[in-house]
Amino acid sequence: MSELISLTGRQSERHEVDWADIERELGTPLPGDFKEICEVFGHGAFSGFLELLPADSTKPHSLLGRWNSLKDQWDSPQAQALFDPYSVFEGSGLILWGQSMTEASYYWLADTSKNPEGWPIVARTAPLEDWHRFDGVSTSKFIHRVLTDREFRPFSIARKVERPFFDAYR
């Protein structure tokens, strides 16, 4: 987390988020480093590319809004085929936490029986592309790798953005 702050030069007031309400609606605690990222950075995008879904909202584009939308559509065979072999989180499954401006999606493979700090990240570059699974990688470490690791294919933007930054959305 401190590396992300240093890397982006981010200096701002902390954003208060009511995690108790969010986690109660989801039915699970969220990873601590994600909560810290949201509180330090707020809603916005890293290097104009990797967007954090807003956690402090129930609007359709928020973390809860996207989760609820996917749950509502889950009975459709098309939705299930699109996310195969995974399912929407209901005790276990996918929770979307971020996306890119080029259709990449970043999820946790959440499971209420496991510590959220150890949830794998699963991601893909577009809705019909292959899934990539990252075990033992925190949300902040994953974002850091996207921003800085030129070999972190297919997700890296390090070759395209010389100096990582964060754009806060208003």
Side-chain angles (χ1 to χ4, degrees), residues 27-71:
T28 187
L30 293 171
D33 77 319
F34 173 76
K35 294 191 281 189
E36 187 174 0
I37 293 167
C38 291
E39 291 173 358
V40 169
F41 289 93
H43 181 213
F46 288 91
S47 296
F49 177 77
L50 191 158
E51 178 185 14
L52 290 176
L53 294 184
D56 57 351
S57 170
T58 57
K59 293 181 179 175
H61 183 66
S62 70
L63 186 143
L64 285 176
R66 296 291 296 271
W67 175 67
N68 281 316
S69 175
L70 185 54
K71 276 193 336 180

Short mmCIF file of all heavy atoms in Angstrom, two decimals, residues 27-71:
data_model
loop_
_atom_site.label_atom_id
_atom_site.label_comp_id
_atom_site.label_asym_id
_atom_site.label_seq_id
_atom_site.Cartn_x
_atom_site.Cartn_y
_atom_site.Cartn_z
N GLY A 27 -22.42 -9.97 2.81
CA GLY A 27 -22.40 -11.18 3.63
C GLY A 27 -21.00 -11.67 3.90
O GLY A 27 -20.81 -12.84 4.26
N THR A 28 -20.01 -10.79 3.75
CA THR A 28 -18.62 -11.17 3.99
C THR A 28 -17.77 -9.92 4.21
O THR A 28 -18.06 -8.86 3.66
CB THR A 28 -18.04 -11.96 2.80
OG1 THR A 28 -16.74 -12.46 3.15
CG2 THR A 28 -17.93 -11.14 1.54
N PRO A 29 -16.72 -10.05 5.01
CA PRO A 29 -15.75 -8.95 5.08
C PRO A 29 -14.96 -8.88 3.76
O PRO A 29 -14.85 -9.88 3.05
CB PRO A 29 -14.83 -9.32 6.24
CG PRO A 29 -15.14 -10.72 6.60
CD PRO A 29 -16.41 -11.13 5.92
N LEU A 30 -14.44 -7.72 3.46
CA LEU A 30 -13.61 -7.53 2.27
C LEU A 30 -12.14 -7.46 2.68
O LEU A 30 -11.82 -7.19 3.84
CB LEU A 30 -14.01 -6.24 1.55
CG LEU A 30 -15.41 -6.26 0.93
CD1 LEU A 30 -15.79 -4.87 0.44
CD2 LEU A 30 -15.48 -7.26 -0.19
N PRO A 31 -11.24 -7.70 1.72
CA PRO A 31 -9.81 -7.62 2.05
C PRO A 31 -9.43 -6.24 2.61
O PRO A 31 -9.84 -5.19 2.06
CB PRO A 31 -9.13 -7.88 0.70
CG PRO A 31 -10.13 -8.69 -0.08
CD PRO A 31 -11.46 -8.14 0.34
N GLY A 32 -8.64 -6.25 3.67
CA GLY A 32 -8.24 -5.02 4.34
C GLY A 32 -7.47 -4.07 3.45
O GLY A 32 -7.65 -2.85 3.54
N ASP A 33 -6.60 -4.58 2.57
CA ASP A 33 -5.83 -3.66 1.74
C ASP A 33 -6.72 -2.96 0.71
O ASP A 33 -6.49 -1.82 0.38
CB ASP A 33 -4.63 -4.34 1.10
CG ASP A 33 -4.95 -5.20 -0.09
OD1 ASP A 33 -5.97 -5.92 -0.05
OD2 ASP A 33 -4.19 -5.17 -1.06
N PHE A 34 -7.79 -3.63 0.24
CA PHE A 34 -8.73 -2.96 -0.66
C PHE A 34 -9.43 -1.82 0.06
O PHE A 34 -9.60 -0.73 -0.48
CB PHE A 34 -9.77 -3.96 -1.20
CG PHE A 34 -10.86 -3.30 -2.00
CD1 PHE A 34 -10.61 -2.86 -3.29
CD2 PHE A 34 -12.12 -3.11 -1.46
CE1 PHE A 34 -11.61 -2.24 -4.03
CE2 PHE A 34 -13.12 -2.49 -2.19
CZ PHE A 34 -12.87 -2.06 -3.48
N LYS A 35 -9.84 -2.09 1.31
CA LYS A 35 -10.51 -1.04 2.08
C LYS A 35 -9.58 0.15 2.28
O LYS A 35 -10.00 1.30 2.14
CB LYS A 35 -11.00 -1.60 3.42
CG LYS A 35 -12.11 -2.65 3.22
CD LYS A 35 -12.80 -3.04 4.49
CE LYS A 35 -12.07 -4.00 5.33
NZ LYS A 35 -12.87 -4.54 6.45
N GLU A 36 -8.32 -0.13 2.54
CA GLU A 36 -7.36 0.96 2.71
C GLU A 36 -7.15 1.72 1.40
O GLU A 36 -7.08 2.95 1.40
CB GLU A 36 -6.03 0.43 3.24
CG GLU A 36 -5.08 1.57 3.58
CD GLU A 36 -3.80 1.10 4.25
OE1 GLU A 36 -3.62 -0.11 4.47
OE2 GLU A 36 -2.98 1.98 4.55
N ILE A 37 -7.08 1.02 0.28
CA ILE A 37 -6.94 1.68 -1.02
C ILE A 37 -8.11 2.64 -1.25
O ILE A 37 -7.93 3.79 -1.65
CB ILE A 37 -6.87 0.65 -2.18
CG1 ILE A 37 -5.60 -0.16 -2.10
CG2 ILE A 37 -6.96 1.34 -3.54
CD1 ILE A 37 -5.60 -1.40 -2.99
N CYS A 38 -9.32 2.16 -0.98
CA CYS A 38 -10.51 2.99 -1.17
C CYS A 38 -10.49 4.22 -0.27
O CYS A 38 -10.89 5.31 -0.68
CB CYS A 38 -11.78 2.18 -0.91
SG CYS A 38 -12.10 0.94 -2.17
N GLU A 39 -10.04 4.05 0.96
CA GLU A 39 -10.01 5.17 1.90
C GLU A 39 -8.92 6.17 1.56
O GLU A 39 -9.09 7.37 1.74
CB GLU A 39 -9.84 4.64 3.32
CG GLU A 39 -11.08 3.91 3.81
CD GLU A 39 -10.90 3.24 5.15
OE1 GLU A 39 -9.79 3.29 5.74
OE2 GLU A 39 -11.89 2.63 5.63
N VAL A 40 -7.79 5.70 1.05
CA VAL A 40 -6.68 6.60 0.70
C VAL A 40 -6.90 7.26 -0.66
O VAL A 40 -6.70 8.45 -0.82
CB VAL A 40 -5.34 5.84 0.71
CG1 VAL A 40 -4.22 6.67 0.11
CG2 VAL A 40 -4.99 5.42 2.14
N PHE A 41 -7.34 6.49 -1.64
CA PHE A 41 -7.44 7.00 -3.00
C PHE A 41 -8.84 7.47 -3.37
O PHE A 41 -8.99 8.35 -4.21
CB PHE A 41 -6.97 5.94 -4.01
CG PHE A 41 -5.50 5.70 -3.97
CD1 PHE A 41 -4.96 4.70 -3.17
CD2 PHE A 41 -4.63 6.46 -4.73
CE1 PHE A 41 -3.60 4.47 -3.13
CE2 PHE A 41 -3.26 6.25 -4.70
CZ PHE A 41 -2.75 5.25 -3.90
N GLY A 42 -9.88 6.86 -2.81
CA GLY A 42 -11.24 7.20 -3.20
C GLY A 42 -11.57 6.59 -4.55
O GLY A 42 -10.88 5.71 -5.05
N HIS A 43 -12.62 7.09 -5.17
CA HIS A 43 -13.06 6.58 -6.48
C HIS A 43 -12.25 7.26 -7.57
O HIS A 43 -12.13 8.47 -7.61
CB HIS A 43 -14.55 6.86 -6.67
CG HIS A 43 -15.09 6.35 -7.96
ND1 HIS A 43 -16.09 6.99 -8.63
CD2 HIS A 43 -14.78 5.27 -8.71
CE1 HIS A 43 -16.38 6.33 -9.73
NE2 HIS A 43 -15.59 5.28 -9.79
N GLY A 44 -11.67 6.46 -8.44
CA GLY A 44 -10.87 7.01 -9.52
C GLY A 44 -10.15 5.90 -10.26
O GLY A 44 -10.50 4.72 -10.13
N ALA A 45 -9.15 6.29 -11.04
CA ALA A 45 -8.43 5.33 -11.88
C ALA A 45 -6.93 5.53 -11.75
O ALA A 45 -6.44 6.66 -11.73
CB ALA A 45 -8.85 5.46 -13.33
N PHE A 46 -6.23 4.42 -11.68
CA PHE A 46 -4.77 4.44 -11.69
C PHE A 46 -4.29 4.60 -13.13
O PHE A 46 -4.67 3.82 -14.01
CB PHE A 46 -4.21 3.15 -11.07
CG PHE A 46 -4.39 3.08 -9.59
CD1 PHE A 46 -5.51 2.48 -9.04
CD2 PHE A 46 -3.45 3.63 -8.74
CE1 PHE A 46 -5.69 2.41 -7.67
CE2 PHE A 46 -3.61 3.57 -7.36
CZ PHE A 46 -4.74 2.97 -6.83
N SER A 47 -3.50 5.63 -13.36
CA SER A 47 -2.91 5.94 -14.67
C SER A 47 -3.97 6.02 -15.77
O SER A 47 -3.71 5.71 -16.92
CB SER A 47 -1.83 4.91 -15.03
OG SER A 47 -0.77 4.99 -14.11
N GLY A 48 -5.16 6.47 -15.42
CA GLY A 48 -6.23 6.60 -16.39
C GLY A 48 -6.66 5.28 -16.98
O GLY A 48 -7.29 5.22 -18.03
N PHE A 49 -6.32 4.18 -16.30
CA PHE A 49 -6.54 2.86 -16.86
C PHE A 49 -7.32 1.94 -15.93
O PHE A 49 -8.39 1.47 -16.27
CB PHE A 49 -5.18 2.23 -17.20
CG PHE A 49 -5.27 0.83 -17.72
CD1 PHE A 49 -5.65 0.58 -19.02
CD2 PHE A 49 -4.98 -0.25 -16.90
CE1 PHE A 49 -5.76 -0.71 -19.51
CE2 PHE A 49 -5.08 -1.55 -17.37
CZ PHE A 49 -5.47 -1.78 -18.69
N LEU A 50 -6.75 1.63 -14.76
CA LEU A 50 -7.36 0.68 -13.84
C LEU A 50 -8.26 1.44 -12.87
O LEU A 50 -7.78 2.19 -12.02
CB LEU A 50 -6.28 -0.09 -13.08
CG LEU A 50 -6.74 -1.30 -12.28
CD1 LEU A 50 -5.56 -2.24 -12.06
CD2 LEU A 50 -7.39 -0.95 -10.99
N GLU A 51 -9.55 1.24 -13.02
CA GLU A 51 -10.53 1.94 -12.22
C GLU A 51 -10.99 1.10 -11.03
O GLU A 51 -11.34 -0.07 -11.20
CB GLU A 51 -11.75 2.29 -13.07
CG GLU A 51 -12.84 2.98 -12.30
CD GLU A 51 -14.09 3.22 -13.13
OE1 GLU A 51 -14.23 2.62 -14.21
OE2 GLU A 51 -14.93 3.98 -12.66
N LEU A 52 -10.94 1.70 -9.85
CA LEU A 52 -11.52 1.08 -8.66
C LEU A 52 -13.01 1.34 -8.67
O LEU A 52 -13.43 2.48 -8.88
CB LEU A 52 -10.95 1.70 -7.39
CG LEU A 52 -9.52 1.44 -7.04
CD1 LEU A 52 -9.15 2.23 -5.79
CD2 LEU A 52 -9.27 -0.03 -6.81
N LEU A 53 -13.81 0.31 -8.46
CA LEU A 53 -15.24 0.56 -8.34
C LEU A 53 -15.48 1.28 -7.02
O LEU A 53 -14.87 0.93 -6.00
CB LEU A 53 -16.01 -0.76 -8.36
CG LEU A 53 -15.97 -1.54 -9.66
CD1 LEU A 53 -16.86 -2.77 -9.56
CD2 LEU A 53 -16.40 -0.70 -10.85
N PRO A 54 -16.35 2.27 -7.02
CA PRO A 54 -16.61 2.98 -5.76
C PRO A 54 -17.28 2.04 -4.76
O PRO A 54 -18.23 1.33 -5.10
CB PRO A 54 -17.53 4.12 -6.17
CG PRO A 54 -18.10 3.74 -7.49
CD PRO A 54 -17.13 2.81 -8.13
N ALA A 55 -16.76 2.03 -3.56
CA ALA A 55 -17.30 1.16 -2.51
C ALA A 55 -18.32 1.91 -1.67
O ALA A 55 -19.15 1.29 -1.02
CB ALA A 55 -16.18 0.65 -1.62
N ASP A 56 -18.28 3.23 -1.70
CA ASP A 56 -19.13 4.03 -0.82
C ASP A 56 -20.43 4.47 -1.52
O ASP A 56 -20.94 5.54 -1.28
CB ASP A 56 -18.37 5.24 -0.30
CG ASP A 56 -17.83 6.12 -1.42
OD1 ASP A 56 -17.90 5.71 -2.60
OD2 ASP A 56 -17.34 7.21 -1.11
N SER A 57 -20.94 3.62 -2.38
CA SER A 57 -22.14 3.96 -3.14
C SER A 57 -22.93 2.68 -3.43
O SER A 57 -22.39 1.59 -3.43
CB SER A 57 -21.72 4.62 -4.45
OG SER A 57 -22.81 4.76 -5.32
N THR A 58 -24.20 2.85 -3.70
CA THR A 58 -25.02 1.73 -4.15
C THR A 58 -25.47 1.95 -5.58
O THR A 58 -26.32 1.23 -6.09
CB THR A 58 -26.26 1.55 -3.24
OG1 THR A 58 -27.00 2.78 -3.23
CG2 THR A 58 -25.85 1.16 -1.83
N LYS A 59 -24.90 2.95 -6.25
CA LYS A 59 -25.25 3.23 -7.64
C LYS A 59 -24.87 2.04 -8.52
O LYS A 59 -24.03 1.22 -8.13
CB LYS A 59 -24.54 4.49 -8.11
CG LYS A 59 -25.04 5.73 -7.40
CD LYS A 59 -24.34 6.97 -7.88
CE LYS A 59 -24.90 8.18 -7.15
NZ LYS A 59 -24.19 9.39 -7.48
N PRO A 60 -25.46 1.94 -9.70
CA PRO A 60 -25.22 0.77 -10.56
C PRO A 60 -23.75 0.49 -10.87
O PRO A 60 -23.37 -0.66 -11.05
CB PRO A 60 -25.99 1.10 -11.84
CG PRO A 60 -27.05 2.04 -11.41
CD PRO A 60 -26.47 2.83 -10.27
N HIS A 61 -22.91 1.51 -10.91
CA HIS A 61 -21.51 1.32 -11.26
C HIS A 61 -20.63 0.99 -10.04
O HIS A 61 -19.44 0.73 -10.18
CB HIS A 61 -20.98 2.57 -11.97
CG HIS A 61 -19.57 2.44 -12.42
ND1 HIS A 61 -19.18 1.55 -13.41
CD2 HIS A 61 -18.44 3.04 -12.01
CE1 HIS A 61 -17.88 1.63 -13.59
NE2 HIS A 61 -17.40 2.53 -12.75
N SER A 62 -21.19 0.96 -8.86
CA SER A 62 -20.42 0.71 -7.64
C SER A 62 -20.17 -0.78 -7.44
O SER A 62 -20.73 -1.63 -8.12
CB SER A 62 -21.18 1.26 -6.43
OG SER A 62 -22.33 0.47 -6.18
N LEU A 63 -19.33 -1.09 -6.46
CA LEU A 63 -19.05 -2.48 -6.11
C LEU A 63 -20.36 -3.22 -5.79
O LEU A 63 -20.63 -4.28 -6.34
CB LEU A 63 -18.08 -2.53 -4.93
CG LEU A 63 -17.57 -3.91 -4.53
CD1 LEU A 63 -16.12 -3.83 -4.12
CD2 LEU A 63 -18.37 -4.50 -3.41
N LEU A 64 -21.19 -2.64 -4.92
CA LEU A 64 -22.46 -3.29 -4.58
C LEU A 64 -23.42 -3.29 -5.76
O LEU A 64 -24.14 -4.27 -5.98
CB LEU A 64 -23.11 -2.60 -3.38
CG LEU A 64 -22.50 -2.88 -2.02
CD1 LEU A 64 -23.18 -2.05 -0.94
CD2 LEU A 64 -22.56 -4.36 -1.68
N GLY A 65 -23.46 -2.21 -6.51
CA GLY A 65 -24.35 -2.13 -7.67
C GLY A 65 -24.04 -3.18 -8.71
O GLY A 65 -24.94 -3.85 -9.24
N ARG A 66 -22.75 -3.36 -9.01
CA ARG A 66 -22.36 -4.37 -10.00
C ARG A 66 -22.63 -5.79 -9.49
O ARG A 66 -23.05 -6.66 -10.23
CB ARG A 66 -20.88 -4.20 -10.36
CG ARG A 66 -20.54 -2.89 -11.05
CD ARG A 66 -21.10 -2.77 -12.46
NE ARG A 66 -20.56 -3.72 -13.38
CZ ARG A 66 -19.48 -3.55 -14.11
NH1 ARG A 66 -18.80 -2.43 -14.05
NH2 ARG A 66 -19.07 -4.49 -14.92
N TRP A 67 -22.38 -6.02 -8.20
CA TRP A 67 -22.65 -7.33 -7.61
C TRP A 67 -24.14 -7.65 -7.66
O TRP A 67 -24.54 -8.73 -8.08
CB TRP A 67 -22.11 -7.37 -6.19
CG TRP A 67 -22.43 -8.62 -5.44
CD1 TRP A 67 -21.96 -9.88 -5.70
CD2 TRP A 67 -23.29 -8.75 -4.31
NE1 TRP A 67 -22.49 -10.78 -4.79
CE2 TRP A 67 -23.30 -10.10 -3.93
CE3 TRP A 67 -24.04 -7.82 -3.58
CZ2 TRP A 67 -24.04 -10.57 -2.85
CZ3 TRP A 67 -24.78 -8.30 -2.51
CH2 TRP A 67 -24.77 -9.65 -2.15
N ASN A 68 -24.98 -6.68 -7.27
CA ASN A 68 -26.43 -6.89 -7.30
C ASN A 68 -26.94 -7.12 -8.72
O ASN A 68 -27.79 -7.96 -8.95
CB ASN A 68 -27.17 -5.73 -6.64
CG ASN A 68 -27.14 -5.82 -5.14
OD1 ASN A 68 -27.36 -6.88 -4.56
ND2 ASN A 68 -26.87 -4.71 -4.48
N SER A 69 -26.40 -6.38 -9.67
CA SER A 69 -26.80 -6.54 -11.07
C SER A 69 -26.47 -7.94 -11.58
O SER A 69 -27.29 -8.59 -12.24
CB SER A 69 -26.11 -5.48 -11.92
OG SER A 69 -26.39 -5.68 -13.27
N LEU A 70 -25.27 -8.41 -11.26
CA LEU A 70 -24.88 -9.74 -11.70
C LEU A 70 -25.75 -10.81 -11.03
O LEU A 70 -26.17 -11.76 -11.68
CB LEU A 70 -23.39 -9.99 -11.42
CG LEU A 70 -22.82 -11.29 -11.94
CD1 LEU A 70 -23.07 -11.47 -13.43
CD2 LEU A 70 -21.33 -11.36 -11.64
N LYS A 71 -26.04 -10.63 -9.75
CA LYS A 71 -26.92 -11.59 -9.06
C LYS A 71 -28.29 -11.64 -9.72
O LYS A 71 -28.86 -12.71 -9.91
CB LYS A 71 -27.11 -11.19 -7.59
CG LYS A 71 -26.02 -11.67 -6.68
CD LYS A 71 -26.37 -11.54 -5.21
CE LYS A 71 -27.40 -10.51 -4.89
NZ LYS A 71 -27.75 -10.36 -3.51
#
